[in-house]
Amino acid sequence: MNPSWQGRRVLVTGHTGFKGSWLALWLHAMGAKVTGFALPPPTDPSLFEAARLADLVDHVEGDVRDFTALRSTVERSRPDVIFHLAAQPLVRLSYEQPIETYAANVMGTVHLLEAARLTGGVKAIVCVTSDKCYENREWDWPYRESDPMGGHDPYSSSKGCAELVVAAWRRSYFGSADAPLLASVRAGNVIGGGDWAADRLVPDLVRAFEAGVAPLIRAPDAIRPWQHVLEALGGYIMIAERLMAGERRFADAWNFGPADEDARPVRWIVDRMRAGWRDGAAPPTLDAGPRPHEAGLLRLDSARARAALGWRPALDLGQAIGWIVEWHKAVGAGEDARRVTLDQIAHYAALSAGTRNAAAA
């Protein structure tokens, strides 16, 4: 257990979602007192329900678009640190619901930062955006934190806007000695057990394999920076620890992406998932339906996090896929989802510590 989290008051927005549930479980396991603020779970089933997370955290049902409710929760929970994950997270849904996407992803971020500013007492804030916040030029070079924000679709654009909001609040309001230190974090395409979202590759594969039907694949040659959810969350936690320690140089934007060789095409993920799943894993079928624009090539440069934080991936992509198959096979066979998730968190924490120690030796 990391002693820096023992007894810490932590607010996680979006704790009913896939990433938020993993993060809340990890923080609770380290001894933090976690309050969660979010809409009801966005999927059925959900990791939030399967792991009985409401029994472990102070669960507050609310919408980040509701400033009054969000501010009330911040005031009541008096957090030392806030992880802001609440968002509309799906590219294709953003085409159908652009107003809701911008309201959640941009104004939700404004509301969170303003609630923290007006309440006071918060030491650190970590705002989670996306690797898609960059102006994607479809080039071979990975994006660095200093590259311009952009976004073709409403989702990606909203995440670029959220980054601009974070930068504005950091410069305009959070410069004094007693103000919270504020960072934004940009991860790759996060995958892991317990994700049942629609229009995401790995959940779509799991659903198809469990049903014994052929999965529909939209863009088999699209390349993404895939990584296990714990890789990204481990980086977020490391940033929060530095901010809580008062290290102002970490109040900035940070990339947490996989190794270069783990930026793989969709078809590679499909092949490895099928090989790991075995029984019931039918070959894919190309989705012939309408396809709005999605980026074809995306990579992240995480050199800064490696150099300044000592953060580095502990799992290669093949191992990450193995962990996903293991999670879903275990839970599908009736094992307790909370225990399976906590076991993977403990295993990952040990591997990550070993990876950092080996790199520092």
Side-chain angles (χ1 to χ4, degrees):
M1 181 179 293
N2 187 333
S4 67
W5 291 99
Q6 186 65 43
R8 287 279 187 184
R9 295 186 303 273
V10 183
L11 174 63
V12 179
T13 71
H15 69 295
T16 58
F18 162 59
K19 283 175 73 175
S21 293
W22 276 91
L23 178 60
L25 278 169
W26 194 347
L27 292 168
H28 181 271
M30 291 191 293
K33 297 178 179 178
V34 181
T35 298
F37 181 91
L39 292 169
T43 62
D44 182 16
S46 70
L47 179 57
F48 176 83
E49 295 287 356
R52 307 178 310 285
L53 191 56
D55 296 342
L56 303 180
V57 308
D58 180 9
H59 168 57
V60 181
E61 198 166 291
D63 192 328
V64 292
R65 294 172 293 184
D66 183 343
F67 174 67
T68 301
L70 181 55
R71 181 180 178 184
S72 176
T73 299
V74 174
E75 290 175 343
R76 183 180 62 81
S77 60
R78 299 181 297 111
D80 300 307
V81 57
I82 300 172
F83 291 91
H84 178 48
L85 285 79
Q88 192 296 95
L90 301 173
V91 171
R92 293 226 295 185
L93 184 60
S94 77
Y95 281 105
E96 300 171 13
Q97 300 180 358
I99 294 174
E100 294 86 344
T101 298
Y102 282 99
N105 296 356
V106 183
M107 289 309 299
T109 302
V110 170
H111 291 163
L112 183 281
L113 297 179
E114 190 67 353
R117 181 179 78 88
L118 295 176
T119 301
V122 181
K123 296 181 176 63
I125 305 172
V126 178
C127 285
V128 178
T129 64
S130 171
D131 57 347
K132 296 174 183 64
C133 67
Y134 295 105
E135 181 63 39
N136 193 330
R137 295 183 170 87
E138 300 282 353
W139 57 24
D140 291 332
W141 298 278
Y143 293 95
R144 298 172 297 177
E145 291 87 347
S146 57
D147 284 327
M149 299 294 97
H152 181 285
D153 56 89
Y155 168 80
S156 302
S157 169
S158 74
K159 288 300 187 176
C161 291
E163 284 285 352
L164 297 178
V165 167
V166 169
W169 253 254
R170 184 189 299 119
R171 294 165 179 160
S172 300
Y173 302 117
F174 292 160
S176 63
D178 60 344
L181 295 182
L182 170 61
S184 62
V185 289
R186 308 157 182 176
N189 274 51
V190 170
I191 56 178
D195 186 4
W196 283 283
D199 280 335
R200 282 187 186 152
L201 176 62
V202 170
D204 286 347
L205 292 174
V206 170
R207 275 188 289 268
F209 295 164
E210 289 179 336
V213 300
L216 289 176
I217 304 302
R218 294 196 302 271
D221 296 318
I223 295 173
R224 296 287 186 272
W226 312 96
Q227 63 189 142
H228 195 275
V229 61
L230 291 173
E231 304 278 27
L233 297 182
Y236 305 169
I237 288 170
M238 291 178 74
I239 284 290
E241 289 172 348
R242 297 301 187 96
L243 298 181
M244 287 192 296
E247 298 184 54
R248 188 167 293 276
R249 70 189 180 102
F250 291 96
D252 206 343
W254 297 88
N255 283 345
F256 293 100
D260 290 344
E261 59 269 22
D262 284 337
R264 298 279 190 173
V266 164
R267 69 171 71 250
W268 192 96
I269 300 291
V270 175
D271 290 344
R272 296 314 186 277
M273 284 285 292
R274 287 188 64 217
W277 198 274
R278 298 183 182 176
D279 295 340
T285 299
L286 188 64
D287 187 349
R291 289 201 297 267
H293 176 274
E294 294 184 78
L297 175 61
L298 181 59
R299 291 189 175 96
L300 284 181
D301 184 335
S302 304
R304 188 166 174 244
R306 293 174 187 240
L309 278 169
W311 174 88
R312 51 194 20 85
L315 302 173
D316 63 36
L317 187 53
Q319 290 171 309
I321 290 173
W323 282 34
I324 295 167
V325 171
E326 177 186 285
W327 193 100
H328 280 280
K329 290 278 191 178
V331 173
E335 293 189 35
D336 181 65
R338 182 194 293 175
R339 176 47 49 199
V340 173
T341 306
L342 288 173
D343 285 348
Q344 288 198 343
I345 288 170
H347 189 187
Y348 176 81
L351 284 176
S352 181
T355 300
R356 293 197 303 272
N357 292 338

